[in-house]
Amino acid sequence: MGQVCCGGKTKHAGAATEDARPDRTLEALCAQEKVMVSKVKKHLRNVVPGLLMYVLVEKVGDSLDAGTEAEIEEKRIEILQTVINTLRHALISYSKAYRGDTNWFKISLTSKEAMMLLNAYVTDKHNNLLSIKVFPTKPQQEFSKRFVAHFKLVWEKTTEGVDIKQTFTGVYWKETASLCDFFMQADTDAGGDLDVDEIEKIMHKQNIGLEGARLRRLIMKEDQSADGRLDFKEYISFFLKITEKRYIQQVLFRKYVKSEPGQIMKSGQFHEFLTTSQGYNGDFKDTCKMLAKMKECGMAVRYKGGDGSEQIGLSSRHFAQFLTSFPANHEEEKAWATKEIPHNSCYDPSYTTKVYQDMNQPLTDYFIASSHNTYLDNGQLTGKSSAVAYQNALMLGCRCLEIDCWDGDDGEPIVYHGHTLTTKVKFEEVIKTIDKYAFKRSQYPVILSLEVHTSPDQQTKMGQIMKQVFRRKGPDGTLHSILQPPIAYTDHKRTAADFTPDGLKGKILVKGKILCQEDGPDLFDEHIKLVKEMTMQQPENKLHVDETRGADDEDDTPAEVSNEIEKCEGTKKVRLSPELSSCVWMKSVHYRGYEGTKSKGNHWDVSSFTETSVEKHYSSEKSREEYSQSNKILFARIYPSGTRVNSDNYHPQISWNMGCQIVALNYQIEHNKSAELRYNLGKFLDNGKCGYLIKPPPLIDPSRKHNDFHDATVVTVEVLQGFRLPKPKSESEGEKIDPYVRVTMNGIEGDTKKGHATRVVDDNGWNPEFFSISENKRKEKALCETHIKKDSPNTSGSTVFKFNVQSVDLAVLTIQVWDQDVADDDFIGEAVIPVKCLRKGYRSVPLKSEVFVQLDSMVFCRFDVEAPSKSA
């Protein structure tokens, strides 16, 4: 029986079998675990072995900091079991390579032992594997050193000789790590190698069109032992050869290296590639700094220069790894930008990782990410109402939330879709959830669009709840309200320019109805009193009380407010509570038409329109222009038609084209899988994903027409290859997919174009090629035709698509991957790219699922964005 030495203590594996189940309390290890996690994060780049590195990068990361206590504990147990399995497979691989059998060794670790082992390993000051002391059943000289030597071989084979002590991040390891996953999942008998049937299952599961005699021939080429099986080293070599990125490694690499594959792309050649193909403006020193950073990330190698000095360059595989690299999520993207880790995503990080736009313009000058009936997580008639839905919307970048408020039976206001079978949630629970998550994703203001159907008493309760919950400690330690008081009665001297996204950071803006004198002098006076109290609770540098109005004044309403009272449109159906009215900053008003808005509209007014009403405004040039001019004065809020009971969505583009700021969509992405919502979320990836986008000048400047755009641009998209495309809905079974790519442009009326599609590639989701690699035109055409189905979306073989764009600010490019089927084609993934955020050159296009979750899949494309030629 084997023994395991953990952190200097020797334990008999046999004795541990009595406690083979994972220790689900982990009480004794809590303190030690905290140390371990901090050590992992501190020393992550110095961890040596490949498989264990994958466990730490992919399975640990920041996951131990997120979730409930029970979820964190469950995650720890999952990580420990992964560590155990990883060590087991590593030892089996060792025994297969050096002993010829796998029966001589057994390993049994409890979670506690694995944690101690991992802790001892990570903190080892020599950065090697000798701290993991594994003893065989029969003593063998220098076992640990042999184990290390074997791991070195595996590591060097999978990284083409990268020094195992080299600083490392997850950038380079992604693909190899996924290959390790495939191997471990397919090796069901834990034999340390794979037979033809097991390899064929991997091919099928990963959408690779290899099977039968052809697969066997390729396996034979890598099967050094001639036993019809591939061990881990042979398997990695086999897989990398069959999944070669042909366009990158055989076309681009050769073009700049001008030699046979296997040579090194020198730093000067890489600089030439960046400047001529990628639109790179840096000098050669900047390129060398980039290569040094890539070397730290395992994406480059050292070579001897002509003068004998040591320099950094790229092998063909490193070049391919770099060109297909992209961050796995928003957090990783920001981390890479901070650490200046280079990647090749089509999204320009200078646009998507930080706020770069002018955020000191009036709030009406911005598009605002907005949701409709935010409380629902399903359909509009029978769905569930949940506070979690607000958390989800806020974490997706939404900055305007809708709350439908009704009387609760116990005197506590509730939220639900009135007169339907949707469930109910407490108003207070919703407000507390919003308070918790409002500023986690963005610091810019959150708008609460209140639909109030409650009695005055429960309205009062609503106001009290918001005032109590929405508070923060100031620098002096006192609590300040983060609710913005009504402008009409406190800041009437301040203009729209005084209320900007920057000036309202960390604020909650409530939209609703406001009391006026027509609602009764007593109610109105109480409202004014409460507004003054709220104003006094604001930080001194944010708001001021109008000193011209004293409490003893007979008429404490100035002329500006009197004008506001004259146009007050208070409802008589439900009386308003002064407590709630004093919380409202954005006033709901009926749309008065352009002339009425021009003469009486205020920058805090909000008019709401259904999608069908917007379509009517868009129907003629005159109504489109007048409506757009109105939206330069006040807010327009658009919401879905009541017939959309399944929480589907309208397309937001025409509303943006007319300058509507609050274009509210159903955010129930898990339920509706809405393409329109994905489009909306993609649009708001711009400007650091903060939820606010400044409108283009023609939609802001009153002297310009809404269609007065002069930034004509030609956007060229060449679709080359796909990588790691999943089966529909992430299914593991079923036929291999037949993918094709559809490219669409949306924007102002003249820029919205019907989509173009590539040809279909049969039975290949791992690395389908949509290009033709042959330089001979006749052969190129023949190659295209061999891959074309009779009913293919594109029978020309062309993968180059051009779009003439008049407004780059409003243009959005969508790249979708579909699986052609006999009946309806199946959606695989897509990328929604604001043209402003698009990087030129050869780029990886990371795909998201139908519920806007990042996939480990991409399309490789070439992009160009340039002014049209004079002849065009």
Side-chain angles (χ1 to χ4, degrees):
M1 210 49 182
Q3 292 178 328
V4 180
C5 179
C6 305
K9 297 181 181 180
T10 303
K11 296 196 176 194
H12 288 275
T17 55
E18 296 178 4
D19 187 28
R21 293 179 303 166
D23 182 358
R24 294 193 174 275
T25 61
L26 298 177
E27 293 174 359
L29 288 170
C30 284
Q32 187 179 10
E33 241 180 302
K34 289 180 181 178
V35 174
M36 188 282 296
V37 172
S38 65
K39 293 287 187 182
V40 168
K41 291 180 178 179
K42 184 176 180 180
H43 300 293
L44 191 57
R45 294 181 180 177
N46 296 322
V47 178
V48 179
L51 292 175
L52 191 54
M53 178 66 214
Y54 165 60
V55 171
L56 295 177
V57 171
E58 298 292 331
K59 301 295 185 183
V60 181
D62 294 325
S63 63
L64 294 182
D65 296 334
T68 64
E69 187 173 333
E71 290 171 341
I72 292 173
E73 186 169 301
E74 194 65 31
K75 188 66 176 178
R76 288 171 178 162
I77 294 167
E78 178 188 339
I79 291 168
L80 295 178
Q81 291 303 114
T82 306
V83 171
I84 294 169
N85 292 334
T86 298
L87 291 173
R88 181 179 293 113
H89 277 273
L91 290 167
I92 289 172
S93 182
Y94 165 82
S95 60
K96 177 71 175 176
Y98 292 100
R99 298 281 303 191
D101 66 83
T102 58
N103 298 322
W104 68 280
F105 180 86
K106 291 184 179 180
I107 180 171
S108 176
L109 292 177
T110 64
S111 296
K112 184 181 293 187
E113 290 171 329
M115 178 60 75
M116 294 173 67
L117 185 152
L118 185 58
N119 185 45
Y121 172 75
V122 172
T123 57
D124 176 51
K125 63 181 180 180
H126 300 296
N127 293 322
N128 60 41
L129 278 171
L130 298 182
S131 59
I132 301 181
K133 303 186 186 301
V134 187
F135 297 93
T137 51
K138 295 181 180 179
Q140 182 174 335
Q141 188 178 8
E142 296 182 335
F143 173 87
S144 295
K145 290 183 179 179
R146 283 195 162 219
F147 181 59
V148 173
H150 170 66
F151 238 142
K152 281 186 179 181
L153 287 176
V154 175
W155 178 268
E156 290 170 0
K157 185 64 179 175
T158 56
T159 60
E160 291 190 355
V162 174
D163 182 358
I164 62 172
K165 292 184 180 180
Q166 181 62 43
T167 305
F168 191 88
T169 69
V171 182
Y172 177 72
W173 185 248
K174 274 184 178 179
E175 183 174 21
T176 306
S178 63
L179 302 187
C180 295
D181 256 358
F182 302 159
F183 183 90
M184 296 173 73
Q185 292 170 16
D187 187 18
T188 53
D189 59 359
D193 54 21
L194 303 178
D195 60 25
V196 175
D197 290 339
E198 290 171 324
I199 294 173
E200 192 163 4
K201 287 179 181 177
I202 294 179
M203 301 295 103
H204 192 274
K205 188 173 182 179
Q206 299 306 320
N207 279 317
I208 302 175
L210 276 179
E211 55 191 1
R214 186 185 173 202
L215 176 61
R216 286 177 170 81
R217 284 197 301 271
L218 293 171
I219 291 174
M220 287 174 60
K221 291 181 180 181
E222 300 298 327
D223 183 12
Q224 298 178 8
S225 58
D227 60 355
R229 306 176 70 89
L230 299 182
D231 64 19
F232 183 72
K233 292 187 297 179
E234 295 167 341
Y235 156 80
I236 290 290
S237 177
F238 160 78
F239 213 100
L240 292 178
K241 285 180 180 178
I242 68 169
T243 59
E244 182 185 34
K245 300 171 176 66
R246 285 208 303 162
Y247 188 87
I248 297 174
Q249 294 176 260
Q250 293 188 26
V251 178
L252 283 181
F253 189 77
R254 287 185 185 182
K255 177 180 178 181
Y256 289 92
V257 174
K258 302 177 179 66
S259 62
E260 293 300 315
Q263 298 299 310
I264 298 298
M265 177 181 278
K266 298 178 176 59
S267 54
Q269 294 167 333
F270 184 55
H271 181 69
E272 180 187 3
F273 165 74
L274 292 177
T275 54
T276 59
S277 294
Q278 302 296 87
Y280 182 65
N281 296 319
D283 58 24
F284 182 65
K285 288 184 179 179
D286 294 327
T287 300
C288 291
K289 290 179 182 179
M290 182 189 299
L291 283 167
K293 184 66 70 171
M294 291 168 66
K295 182 68 177 73
E296 291 180 6
C297 300
M299 280 197 292
V301 294
R302 297 188 185 277
Y303 70 93
K304 293 288 185 181
D307 58 356
S309 63
E310 196 174 64
Q311 299 182 25
I312 301 175
L314 304 172
S315 69
S316 65
R317 185 169 175 240
H318 289 122
F319 185 59
Q321 288 281 354
F322 169 67
L323 287 188
T324 57
S325 62
F326 60 88
N329 49 49
H330 172 64
E331 289 71 26
E332 187 170 89
E333 183 183 29
K334 291 184 70 173
W336 287 9
T338 302
K339 298 175 183 178
E340 297 183 339
I341 296 174
H343 64 80
N344 199 47
S345 169
C346 63
Y347 295 96
D348 191 331
S350 63
Y351 287 81
T352 59
T353 62
K354 60 185 179 182
V355 175
Y356 68 91
Q357 296 180 353
D358 181 1
M359 304 303 282
N360 284 299
Q361 298 304 310
L363 208 61
T364 47
D365 290 354
Y366 296 83
F367 297 126
I368 304 170
S370 308
S371 65
H372 168 254
N373 286 359
T374 316
Y375 48 89
L376 292 174
D377 68 359
N378 206 312
Q380 302 286 312
L381 300 181
T382 59
K384 178 183 177 183
S385 302
S386 167
V388 175
Y390 289 89
Q391 172 188 336
N392 294 339
L394 287 166
M395 297 310 290
L396 281 171
C398 185
R399 308 313 290 162
C400 179
L401 312 170
E402 184 175 15
I403 310 177
D404 280 4
C405 311
W406 297 80
D407 282 344
D409 294 336
D410 58 356
E412 296 291 329
I414 56 175
V415 176
Y416 85 114
H417 198 188
H419 310 299
T420 69
L421 298 179
T422 56
T423 63
K424 301 168 184 177
V425 60
K426 294 286 188 184
F427 177 80
E428 184 173 10
E429 184 182 350
V430 167
I431 295 302
K432 287 181 177 179
T433 300
I434 293 171
D435 180 65
K436 182 177 180 180
Y437 292 96
F439 306 108
K440 285 188 178 292
R441 184 72 181 265
S442 170
Q443 290 299 305
Y444 292 98
V446 171
I447 299 170
L448 303 186
S449 179
L450 297 186
E451 299 296 326
V452 181
H453 307 277
T454 51
S455 62
D457 287 345
Q458 294 204 22
Q459 287 179 38
T460 298
K461 187 71 174 178
M462 289 167 56
Q464 291 170 346
I465 289 171
M466 289 193 289
K467 290 177 181 179
Q468 178 65 30
V469 173
F470 291 135
R471 296 192 295 174
R472 296 288 187 275
K473 280 188 178 180
D476 58 355
T478 60
L479 287 172
H480 295 289
S481 173
I482 60 172
L483 283 168
Q484 188 74 11
I487 299 176
Y489 308 111
T490 58
D491 292 287
H492 64 283
K493 292 182 179 180
R494 300 175 74 179
T495 66
D498 294 316
F499 296 92
T500 70
D502 257 343
L504 293 169
K505 270 186 177 179
K507 288 288 188 178
I508 301 292
L509 313 179
V510 177
K511 178 193 93 57
K513 294 193 177 293
I514 299 179
L515 278 168
C516 57
Q517 283 189 341
E518 293 176 359
D519 294 304
D522 293 340
L523 288 174
F524 184 70
D525 290 345
E526 178 67 16
H527 164 80
I528 294 294
K529 175 184 175 183
L530 291 169
V531 169
K532 286 184 177 181
E533 290 178 0
M534 267 194 69
T535 305
M536 295 301 294
Q537 295 177 28
Q538 303 296 315
E540 291 180 0
N541 62 337
K542 292 291 184 182
L543 291 175
H544 67 277
V545 180
D546 183 7
E547 299 296 339
T548 64
R549 294 180 295 155
D552 298 327
D553 291 350
E554 184 174 338
D555 180 8
D556 64 351
T557 307
E560 290 88 343
V561 177
S562 297
N563 290 337
E564 175 67 24
I565 294 169
E566 288 176 8
K567 62 174 182 273
C568 178
E569 299 175 28
T571 177
K572 298 304 178 183
K573 293 181 180 178
V574 178
R575 287 181 59 194
L576 296 178
S577 158
E579 191 76 49
L580 179 60
S581 178
S582 66
C583 298
V584 175
W585 182 77
M586 304 173 77
K587 181 185 176 186
S588 298
V589 299
H590 292 296
Y591 181 55
R592 309 176 178 93
Y594 171 60
E595 292 301 329
T597 299
K598 185 178 179 181
S599 61
K600 296 183 179 181
N602 296 294
H603 61 86
W604 58 80
D605 290 346
V606 184
S607 294
S608 294
F609 307 86
T610 65
E611 58 174 288
T612 52
S613 176
V614 171
E615 290 170 357
K616 290 178 182 178
H617 286 296
Y618 200 72
S619 61
S620 72
E621 183 65 30
K622 181 182 178 182
S623 62
R624 195 182 310 171
E625 178 61 30
E626 289 183 347
Y627 186 58
S628 300
Q629 290 294 338
S630 296
N631 295 336
K632 298 174 183 179
I633 300 170
L634 47 64
F635 291 94
R637 174 180 172 270
I638 319 304
Y639 59 94
S641 167
T643 59
R644 296 187 182 275
V645 295
N646 290 322
S647 296
D648 53 323
N649 282 304
Y650 58 95
H651 202 287
Q653 188 66 53
I654 66 169
S655 299
W656 292 332
N657 290 349
M658 293 187 291
C660 300
Q661 300 89 342
I662 303 174
V663 183
L665 299 181
N666 291 310
Y667 263 62
Q668 297 86 352
I669 188 71
E670 292 285 346
H671 168 70
N672 60 27
K673 300 176 177 58
S674 166
E676 295 81 7
L677 177 56
R678 295 195 303 267
Y679 184 88
N680 178 82
L681 296 173
K683 169 79 171 176
F684 283 96
L685 293 176
D686 192 8
N687 202 29
K689 308 177 181 70
C690 73
Y692 283 80
L693 299 174
I694 195 162
K695 298 193 289 187
L699 299 178
I700 295 175
D701 185 350
S703 66
R704 294 178 64 175
K705 290 189 175 182
H706 77 284
N707 57 359
D708 182 23
F709 292 99
H710 304 289
D711 52 347
T713 304
V714 177
V715 179
T716 302
V717 182
E718 182 177 8
V719 182
L720 297 168
Q721 194 166 5
F723 297 110
R724 300 186 297 276
L725 304 179
K727 295 183 179 181
K729 302 175 184 177
S730 301
E731 295 174 358
S732 59
E733 303 301 324
E735 296 181 350
K736 292 180 282 292
I737 67 170
D738 305 321
Y740 67 91
V741 178
R742 184 170 294 279
V743 184
T744 308
M745 182 71 72
N746 283 279
I748 63 174
E749 188 172 20
D751 292 351
T752 298
K753 303 291 194 306
K754 183 179 179 181
H756 303 284
T758 67
R759 57 188 175 84
V760 173
V761 177
D762 294 344
D763 296 334
N764 188 352
W766 182 264
N767 59 350
E769 297 172 347
F770 302 104
F771 66 94
S772 174
I773 199 169
S774 172
E775 296 179 1
N776 183 289
K777 295 297 182 183
R778 181 180 58 80
K779 290 182 179 179
E780 178 176 324
K781 183 177 179 181
L783 178 62
C784 290
E785 289 175 348
T786 59
H787 289 279
I788 294 172
K789 288 188 173 183
K790 293 180 180 179
D791 56 347
S792 169
N794 180 346
T795 57
S796 68
S798 173
T799 63
V800 180
F801 311 118
K802 291 183 180 290
F803 301 93
N804 294 314
V805 173
Q806 296 301 311
S807 171
V808 171
D809 287 326
L810 290 172
V812 178
L813 180 70
T814 303
I815 296 177
Q816 294 181 325
V817 179
W818 292 83
D819 171 28
Q820 189 177 63
D821 207 342
V822 176
D824 294 331
D825 293 350
D826 295 311
F827 177 86
I828 300 298
E830 75 175 356
V832 180
I833 314 163
V835 171
K836 285 178 63 176
C837 303
L838 185 63
R839 290 205 286 181
K840 295 173 62 175
Y842 295 93
R843 301 293 177 182
S844 61
V845 181
L847 300 176
K848 292 185 183 293
S849 71
E850 59 186 354
V851 294
F852 209 69
V853 172
Q854 182 74 61
L855 301 171
D856 188 28
S857 308
M858 56 155 288
V859 177
F860 187 64
C861 299
R862 180 184 65 84
F863 299 103
D864 199 7
V865 181
E866 59 185 356
S869 62
K870 291 182 180 179
S871 60

